[in-house]
Amino acid sequence: MADAKREIERKYESDDSGLPDLTGVAGVANVLDKGTAELDATYHDTSDLRLASARVTLRHRTGGSDAGWHLKLPVAPGIRDEIHAPLSDTLPDELAALARSRVREGRLIPVIRLRTTREIQHLVDADGKLLAELSVDRVRAERLFGGTGTAQWTEIEVELAEGGDPAFLDKVEKRLGKAGVRPSKSASKLARALSETKGGKPRPKKKAAGKAGTAGRPAATAGEPAVAAGKPVTAGDHVMAYARAQRDAIVELDPAVRLDTEEGVHDMRVATRRLRSTFRTFGKVLDRKVTDPIADELKWLAGELGVGRDQEVLAERLLAALADLPDTLVTGPVHDRMRSWADESERGSRVRLLGVLDSERYLALLDTLDAFVAGPPLLKAAAGDPEKVLAKAVHKDFAKVADLIETGMAQPPGHDRDLGLHEARKKAKRTRYAAEAAQPALGKPAKTLLKSMKSLQTLLGEHQDSVMARATLRELSAVAHAAGESAFTYGLLHGREEQRAAAVEAGLPEQWQAVKTGAPL
């Protein structure tokens, strides 16, 4: 079984490798000598260094207190999530799966061997609590593939103790800086070894967008533009920057989904939706004869991601509503029945989702997305003025939202209105993503529209959640009734959900009027 932890560390170098007295750092009461460790690590990658190009490291290491297999996934500069598995002759299946979205059909081979003599010190407070581990590493690197070169260097590493305040590292860095110790130019030992030994270098890292947080999650906000070379100029540049960010997010979130981290599934699903919306909204920029088949596969993936996610959100809503009821209004084993329903659904969906991520269809989709980014099917409008081309596309989406909202509100309460408002919600979401993609080119007007669509989407989402909750309550009520249990509490919760939906419907005309009045496009 693999273990995961957040690693926050900084690397430094010094001309003489000397260290100042760190008891002068605020909070440090003592510096404890923890001796010397001999570490022997073999780093594995594909022959074209796919992991290294994504700033991911996979190694087999002996020596030290954490011998075993380590997979490190980037989160932000100086922050990585490390997944550790026990020593074994072969790569554990769990770590192989976490690297699959990047390795795919490639074969992992040894590429670098690092032998390190590590002098270890612990920085502790007055109570003896560990604040950080400081080490002086004397490294010998040997190329195992793509050359036979060697290299040697000394570096200083400071790793924050688990649960520590990152601001403490700033204090340590300030003290080291005064002693002439400077930040390392290399982000990792592997990067330096690849650079300083003979052989190829990693492919240039694609600029990506995503959110820092859980394991393997992207280090910037999803939806933020990223361009392969230079700032976006044309309409096509802007659209592809946004599309490329979503492709990157899907690949980078794969480990988070496999690890079942909070919001991992949600964030990957959002990335698939953003990319599908981009294809549809900007059909004058990207050839839909090429993108429609990709959109179909993204829809499939989003659907698979949504099976467990939708169930989880619905279960949280129903259990929270049940908890709000006085005990006198809860008749029968309502909580146990809801909990069993939620747990059973979650177990089944989890197994299914892991199968999807290991499927040939999913890996083929990732390859297709790579090919799309490498050779985008740009149409004539892609070379046009982004302010004109993108604004026209966003305005067209907004007009569709307006039509759906007004048509939906005109329906009598019931199934037709519920269906109409659900369609309006989906279109509002698409318009929101269109505004995100266009914001770098259109500026404040797109930002204003984005906020309006997000607010509208939230309101309509509350309505749709109520629709789904009522359907589930009716199903659970029928099962309870068949088992001879009271259905009273299910009916009570159903009535409360009707009231929540009615409140949304009553407030929607006023909010929609505000959106139309303030629409900048």
Side-chain angles (χ1 to χ4, degrees), residues 41-80:
T42 300
Y43 287 78
H44 295 251
D45 206 334
T46 59
S47 59
D48 56 354
L49 303 177
R50 297 178 194 178
L51 296 182
S53 68
R55 297 182 293 116
V56 174
T57 60
L58 173 63
R59 73 187 180 201
H60 174 278
R61 190 169 78 179
T62 59
S65 60
D66 63 345
W69 287 91
H70 306 117
L71 177 70
K72 296 191 179 186
L73 304 166
V75 175
I79 305 176
R80 294 186 290 182

Side-chain angles (χ1 to χ4, degrees), residues 35-36 42 61 101 103 130 152 167 193 215 220 230-231 235-236 288 297 358 365 393 409 419 447 469 475 499 501:
T36 301
T42 300
R61 190 169 78 179
S101 68
V103 174
L130 179 65
Q152 296 186 47
K231 293 183 178 181
R288 289 193 56 175
E297 290 302 281
D358 288 332
L365 172 58
M409 290 192 301
L419 186 60
K447 183 177 181 180
E475 293 174 6
Q499 291 178 342

Side-chain angles (χ1 to χ4, degrees), residues 165-336:
D165 183 357
F168 175 71
L169 295 182
D170 295 333
K171 300 174 183 178
V172 175
E173 183 165 302
K174 184 176 181 180
R175 181 72 182 91
L176 292 173
K178 289 181 178 179
V181 178
R182 58 190 178 277
S184 175
K185 296 178 181 178
S186 295
S188 68
K189 288 182 174 66
L190 176 61
R192 184 164 183 173
L194 289 170
S195 175
E196 295 189 10
T197 60
K198 293 179 180 179
K201 296 182 179 180
R203 293 176 295 180
K205 179 72 176 77
K206 301 179 182 71
K207 296 181 181 178
K211 277 192 296 191
T214 58
R217 296 179 71 178
T221 302
E224 194 172 294
V227 185
K231 293 183 178 181
V233 176
T234 65
D237 289 341
H238 283 276
V239 171
M240 283 307 301
Y242 190 76
R244 187 178 298 108
Q246 309 322 314
R247 186 284 308 267
D248 290 348
I250 292 170
V251 173
E252 293 169 11
L253 284 162
D254 178 288
V257 174
R258 293 177 186 272
L259 290 168
D260 199 20
T261 59
E262 186 177 0
E263 298 302 314
V265 170
H266 171 71
D267 287 349
M268 182 187 276
R269 192 181 183 193
V270 168
T272 66
R273 286 171 168 170
R274 281 182 165 129
L275 192 47
R276 283 182 62 219
S277 294
T278 300
F279 292 162
R280 291 181 177 274
T281 297
F282 301 108
K284 298 293 185 181
V285 174
L286 297 171
D287 188 350
R288 289 193 56 175
K289 291 194 297 292
V290 175
T291 62
D292 277 356
I294 304 175
D296 289 342
E297 290 302 281
L298 289 169
K299 183 178 182 180
W300 161 76
L301 178 57
E304 296 292 350
L305 291 165
V307 172
R309 173 66 183 178
D310 289 343
Q311 202 83 10
E312 179 185 351
V313 171
L314 184 55
E316 290 174 356
R317 182 185 183 97
L318 294 177
L319 289 169
L322 181 62
D324 284 342
L325 291 180
D327 291 342
T328 54
L329 297 180
V330 180
T331 59
V334 183
H335 184 277
D336 290 344

Side-chain angles (χ1 to χ4, degrees), residues 408 414-424 426 463-464 467:
H415 174 75
D416 289 344
R417 178 181 287 183
D418 292 344
L419 186 60
L421 294 182
H422 179 48
E423 289 301 313
K426 291 192 291 185
H463 187 275
Q464 178 63 14
V467 171

Side-chain angles (χ1 to χ4, degrees), residues 331-334 337 475-488 490:
T331 59
V334 183
R337 186 168 291 285
E475 293 174 6
L476 291 174
S477 173
V479 173
H481 179 74
E485 301 165 6
S486 171
F488 169 78
Y490 301 102

